[in-house]
Amino acid sequence: MGDWRTDPTFAMCRALVDGADLASFAGGLFDIRAVVATIRPGTFDGAVLDDLPWGNFPHGEKAREAVRLLCTGDGCARNAMAVLIGMCADDSRAAVALAVPFLIRIAIDPHHRHRADALGGLAAPARARYFGVASRDELLLHRSAPQRGGYDDYGVEVTGYPAGWSVAAARAAITAGAPVLLPLLDDSDPAMRIDASYARHRGRPRPYGPKRLRHPVRQGAGPHGPGRLGSRHG
């Protein structure tokens, strides 16, 4: 990547570094929360993918191409999911949050060859910190208290983009997709059940705390019944 100061995808980040008021961007084309909110359920074709302003967010074009590959389902699509997860690991979540509605669509398609990969990674931009860095409490924690200058206590990503906006957008997208993810809690694959449960709990905060998460098991199912989450090793 070239100098970020001359890259048009970093326009908002440059302005913030130069002292612009974050609130002046709220609800606009550089606010990933507002952009994700424009994606209507059931509209996930190539035209919608190209109409979204990926270029307004750091590494957005890379994210768009990764989503395009995933939607095609061809052999190299699995590497595309690794690209999106790698962006989150590098503390650049905004464009990946825009990918979440598409990842949900792939995950619920029983015929898509990479649905497990999509489901396993769709919660990545909804985490405050990445696996291997965050503690269990940090992974489950929801923060929302406003701080000085309009920032919440997530701070900023490595690019300068407000991290709280990325996390909020991803969680809103997961919340919107929660009804279609629900059947995956009964999937025959234990790994799919686990990833579906984790993804659904990455949605917007519930009225209960992280240590009181409701068990994602169908009512009436016994410990060895069909509603059991199981483990990745069966």
Side-chain angles (χ1 to χ4, degrees):
M1 185 184 72
D3 189 340
W4 74 276
R5 290 168 295 185
T6 60
D7 188 330
T9 65
F10 289 84
M12 172 178 161
C13 302
R14 290 199 308 272
L16 293 174
V17 168
D18 291 338
D21 182 7
L22 177 62
S24 66
F25 293 98
L29 286 176
F30 290 97
D31 185 343
I32 189 61
R33 303 168 301 177
V35 175
V36 167
T38 67
I39 304 176
R40 302 271 68 85
T43 56
F44 298 100
D45 58 20
V48 172
L49 181 70
D50 290 333
D51 285 345
L52 294 172
W54 297 87
N56 289 0
F57 307 101
H59 312 300
E61 296 302 327
K62 185 200 309 189
R64 174 168 59 180
E65 289 311 305
V67 173
R68 190 190 306 281
L69 283 173
L70 282 164
C71 290
T72 64
D74 60 20
C76 60
R78 189 170 189 176
N79 293 333
M81 191 66 235
V83 168
L84 296 176
I85 293 175
M87 289 172 62
C88 295
D90 290 338
D91 195 33
S92 184
R93 306 177 193 84
V96 186
L98 190 52
V100 169
F102 298 92
L103 298 180
I104 292 175
R105 179 70 174 225
I106 292 169
I108 65 174
D109 181 354
H111 305 296
H112 200 290
R113 64 190 297 183
H114 298 296
R115 65 190 298 250
D117 297 311
L119 180 61
L122 71 85
R127 291 194 291 261
R129 302 183 71 188
Y130 195 71
F131 278 133
V133 177
S135 67
R136 177 181 181 277
D137 286 344
E138 286 174 323
L139 285 174
L140 295 174
L141 184 63
H142 287 280
R143 302 184 178 110
S144 60
Q147 303 292 326
R148 60 182 178 81
Y151 290 90
D152 55 30
D153 55 358
Y154 284 114
V156 296
E157 297 178 359
V158 66
T159 60
Y161 194 85
W165 285 15
S166 301
V167 172
R171 289 178 175 172
I174 292 171
T175 299
V180 297
L181 290 171
L182 183 61
L184 297 182
L185 296 179
D186 281 329
D187 195 271
S188 60
D189 184 346
M192 291 287 287
R193 298 198 296 270
I194 291 170
D195 288 338
S197 176
Y198 181 77
R200 291 187 76 247
H201 281 297
R202 286 290 78 203
R204 283 172 176 160
R206 308 299 200 275
Y208 46 85
K211 299 192 180 201
R212 297 177 56 203
L213 292 178
R214 295 171 183 168
H215 58 83
V217 180
R218 194 172 58 230
Q219 290 296 323
H224 302 293
R228 183 172 63 92
L229 278 179
S231 69
R232 290 186 179 274
H233 306 289

